[in-house]
Amino acid sequence: MVRRLLLLVLLALPLTAAPTHYNDDTCDIGVLPAATLLLPFFEVDLNDPLGPVGETTLFTVVNVTNFEQIAHVTLWTDRGFPVFGFPVYLTGYDAQSINLYDVFVRGVIAPDSATTSTRHGNYSDRSTTINTAGCTRIPPMDLATFARLRRAFTEGVIEGECSTVGGRHARATGYATIDVVRSCDATLPSEAAYWTGKIGYDNVLTGDYQQVTSRENFAQGGPLVHIRAVPEGGTFEQRRINRTKYDAGFQRTFYARYQSKEFPGADGRQPLPSRFAARWINGSTLKFQTNLKIWREGNAGPQARCSEYARDGAVETTDIVMFDENENATAIRDSALPLASMTSVSNPRFYPQAANGATSGWMYLNLDPDWRDASASMNWVLVSMRAQGRFSADMDAIAFGNGCSPAKRPVNASSTFGPPIAPSRDDNPGTGIVSTDNDDSCDVALLPAATLLLPYFEVDLDDGQRENTLLTVTNVTAKDQIARVTLWTDYSYPVLTFSVYLTGYDVQSISLFDVLGGGVIPANGTSVTARGLRSDTNAALDLAGSAASAERSTPRRSPPSTTPSPSAPPAASVRPHPATRSGTCTIAPSATRPSTS
């Protein structure tokens, strides 16, 4: 009920204030029904005879309409070679799950019900826009196809064709796309027929993934990347190719490298961004270890030579900057990553390392390989954390712009004359798109924002190890900021508010067990702290209250928290309501005098 009430409040905002009037006419990537779903990275252990306990990846596709749909799954190597594709037939409101262990180890796509025209339910309707003639049962793979699949994803070899389509891996590694299509066949996105008669443009699919490592007792999951067709609907035959009614207005699209020069608008799918802010914690074995799962746009087109796939095994980045929680920055230039990878933030081959040995902070990534060209490349970043063989989580990194944002040169943290790190605007020059700025639509996306909502928290007041909720706030600009945290009950009553002072590029973590179980919040989160070399003064802020707050606070000992945490700074006292246990939390910018009560 609490979540429903919050949604009603958000939807009550006047829509006339925004120039965007449709749900699919911007470059912002949101978790909204889409025409293409992207699984940025998968990994499958092929050497476990007892079942998928080493490592496997699962994903689910959902049809959120009453009309039947067909989804086409393509499995790509970590260098962007499309190896294998298969259809998934969906009745109205259907959901189908695929375990990639079944595909790579058992040679079975899915249970019959996932790939066969099945009986329609009471709420499912037939579609007149798709051809279900080929949507019969998909049999297990023949031995030749099975062997080809395994070698491609572990050795990078397609026998008789190419030996550099992927890297060499102990486990099958790559990424997957799921497109809404109009027929059940094995045509791949690299073939011309995929675009002239198979691909669909209806935003009707949603999906999620799980990566499971039973042997190590870890599991992560989250939504797939939802990439919408803009504008929605239409077909190749309905003159989408002539950019009349169906003009996306983008310089490039998600499948741009497979579009002909004669018909550049045949795809119409949103492009992805190039710059991200990723949270990291990398302490001892008892604390969180952080990996980044990264997907990148390839260079090889539909008629690519083997040498082009070899080049995509190490695509350069513009710059990467690692910040600790006190704004100290370490940068690296010209790091190189394949198109799909999972790498540890502690690996100096790919990421800068904090010179002071810091164990947590955030990272700025500009993954565009060449900022001098016309547009930035497309990428996606997932932050994957693990700890103690029992804690694990995946989360999407926050984008600094969208796929229409311009390319950015190296920043001043890694280059003497570069610009500061800051969010981007939407610089799309097209005429068919309504949005011209990065903040003029109602789409809720993972972009820097004025308010952050923690929809639900729960804390065991007697033992934070049994149940606790932690939150982190990051300032992605050079100017200092004040964030106001408000804790609300599950009946939407605001009980407690306090301020978090952030220098430029600062990050602050808060354990709600410390607040509600011990009556303390971090002192370095509420008091004005020294600005670093890259932090600037914000003339719009009144910092007097923050300084006074820190002076008035009386430090007191907090009950020990055993939840993994990067640090345990001194704390300033607050007085939580004695009955507070669960509710919601909002974080909003503040220019007024902060309060701790």
Side-chain angles (χ1 to χ4, degrees):
M1 180 61 70
V2 173
R3 293 184 183 180
R4 186 174 298 119
L5 289 174
L6 287 172
L7 284 173
L8 288 172
V9 171
L10 291 174
L11 292 175
L13 294 173
L15 296 179
T16 55
T20 296
H21 305 294
Y22 299 99
N23 198 42
D24 61 353
D25 66 349
T26 80
C27 277
D28 290 354
I29 304 296
V31 185
L32 297 164
T36 288
L37 306 175
L38 168 67
L39 173 63
F41 177 83
F42 68 74
E43 195 167 37
V44 181
D45 190 338
L46 307 184
N47 301 312
D48 196 334
L50 300 179
V53 300
E55 186 102 24
T56 188
T57 307
L58 308 93
F59 62 87
T60 299
V61 184
V62 180
N63 171 19
V64 296
T65 71
N66 58 306
F67 289 103
E68 60 185 346
Q69 304 288 345
I70 303 170
H72 182 89
V73 178
T74 304
L75 303 181
W76 309 69
T77 69
D78 63 335
R79 295 181 182 177
F81 185 92
V83 178
F84 186 65
F86 58 88
V88 175
Y89 173 81
L90 301 159
T91 59
Y93 308 126
D94 198 4
Q96 298 292 351
S97 298
I98 306 292
N99 185 342
L100 290 179
Y101 181 85
D102 291 339
V103 177
F104 283 100
V105 179
R106 296 173 176 142
V108 177
I109 303 300
D112 290 349
S113 59
T115 54
T116 306
S117 299
T118 55
R119 184 176 62 85
H120 286 249
N122 293 333
Y123 303 101
S124 179
D125 296 321
R126 298 286 182 182
S127 172
T128 60
T129 62
I130 64 175
N131 179 8
T132 61
C135 299
T136 57
R137 176 179 179 270
I138 298 181
M141 283 179 271
D142 59 73
L143 292 179
T145 302
F146 186 53
R148 180 179 185 271
L149 182 73
R150 291 166 64 98
R151 287 201 69 187
F153 285 92
T154 57
E155 302 175 31
V157 173
I158 301 290
E159 193 67 39
E161 297 181 39
C162 187
S163 61
T164 57
V165 300
R168 298 184 66 88
H169 309 283
R171 301 167 179 173
T173 300
Y175 66 93
T177 54
I178 304 99
D179 300 318
V180 63
V181 294
R182 296 188 290 154
S183 62
C184 287
D185 57 63
T187 309
L188 293 171
S190 56
E191 302 175 55
Y194 197 81
W195 301 103
T196 57
K198 183 181 175 79
I199 193 71
Y201 302 92
D202 297 308
N203 297 320
V204 296
L205 302 179
T206 65
D208 57 79
Y209 75 94
Q210 296 79 38
Q211 188 170 349
V212 180
T213 313
S214 300
R215 184 182 291 116
E216 299 177 16
N217 203 33
F218 292 124
Q220 299 87 30
L224 298 170
V225 186
H226 290 59
I227 303 168
R228 286 166 288 162
V230 180
E232 182 176 30
T235 66
F236 188 88
E237 297 87 349
Q238 291 175 324
R239 307 194 66 78
R240 178 179 278 271
I241 57 176
N242 287 340
R243 291 196 169 200
T244 52
K245 179 179 179 181
Y246 298 103
D247 180 12
F250 301 151
Q251 283 185 308
R252 64 206 175 96
T253 61
F254 180 72
Y255 283 120
R257 60 180 168 142
Y258 293 112
Q259 305 308 304
S260 67
K261 295 180 180 179
E262 293 78 14
F263 307 126
D267 174 21
R269 280 157 170 74
Q270 298 166 300
L272 298 181
S274 63
R275 301 191 301 141
F276 297 85
R279 179 80 165 104
W280 65 273
I281 305 174
N282 224 56
S284 66
T285 56
L286 296 179
K287 296 185 178 181
F288 278 114
Q289 307 293 304
T290 301
N291 293 318
L292 298 184
K293 300 174 183 175
I294 297 179
W295 176 89
R296 310 186 67 193
E297 179 183 13
N299 297 295
Q303 306 299 325
R305 297 184 297 271
C306 283
S307 58
E308 294 181 73
Y309 289 107
R311 184 179 61 175
D312 280 343
V315 180
E316 291 185 348
T317 64
T318 293
D319 54 355
I320 301 176
V321 182
M322 176 178 281
F323 290 97
D324 66 14
E325 291 197 345
N326 293 312
E327 195 216 317
N328 298 303
T330 308
I332 189 172
R333 295 281 305 279
D334 302 325
S335 174
L337 291 161
L339 303 189
S341 64
M342 182 172 70
T343 50
S344 171
V345 300
S346 64
N347 190 333
R349 176 184 173 189
F350 305 113
Y351 306 109
Q353 302 298 300
N356 59 3
T359 59
S360 63
W362 72 282
M363 193 180 301
Y364 165 82
L365 301 102
N366 185 346
L367 299 176
D368 183 16
D370 186 0
W371 56 271
R372 298 174 183 84
D373 58 10
S375 59
S377 69
M378 294 185 288
N379 306 267
W380 198 259
V381 179
L382 295 172
V383 179
S384 184
M385 295 184 177
R386 301 178 175 184
Q388 298 184 13
R390 57 185 180 137
F391 299 110
S392 60
D394 265 15
M395 65 193 83
D396 290 305
I398 304 301
F400 270 77
N402 55 36
C404 292
S405 298
K408 289 292 185 180
R409 62 178 296 182
V411 295
N412 57 14
S414 63
S415 177
T416 305
F417 302 105
I421 296 171
S424 292
R425 59 194 170 96
D426 182 339
D427 200 33
N428 177 53
T431 57
I433 196 79
V434 177
S435 296
T436 56
D437 298 304
N438 198 41
D439 60 352
D440 66 347
S441 82
C442 282
D443 290 353
V444 177
L446 295 172
L447 296 165
T451 292
L452 308 176
L453 170 67
L454 173 63
Y456 177 83
F457 67 78
E458 191 165 6
V459 178
D460 189 320
L461 302 183
D462 298 319
D463 187 349
Q465 186 175 15
R466 289 189 300 208
E467 188 84 36
N468 189 20
T469 305
L470 303 95
L471 60 96
T472 300
V473 184
T474 304
N475 174 17
V476 296
T477 69
K479 293 184 180 296
D480 55 357
Q481 305 287 345
I482 302 172
R484 174 67 61 83
V485 179
T486 303
L487 302 182
W488 308 68
T489 70
D490 56 347
Y491 283 8
S492 296
Y493 184 86
V495 178
L496 174 69
T497 183
F498 57 89
S499 295
V500 175
Y501 171 77
L502 301 160
T503 60
Y505 309 129
D506 198 4
V507 57
Q508 295 292 348
S509 299
I510 297 170
S511 166
L512 292 183
F513 174 76
D514 292 341
V515 177
L516 303 178
V520 293
I521 56 176
N524 63 349
T526 57
S527 58
V528 176
T529 54
R531 299 181 185 88
L533 297 176
R534 296 176 178 85
S535 181
D536 298 326
T537 302
N538 189 343
L541 298 185
D542 175 9
L543 300 180
S546 291
S549 166
E551 293 169 0
R552 289 196 305 269
S553 63
T554 303
R556 77 187 225 190
R557 184 177 298 276
S558 168
S561 173
T562 55
T563 303
S565 176
S567 59
S573 64
V574 294
R575 292 182 295 174
H577 191 285
T580 300
R581 178 188 174 101
S582 63
T584 60
C585 175
T586 56
I587 302 102
S590 173
T592 59
R593 178 163 301 201
S595 170
T596 56
S597 62

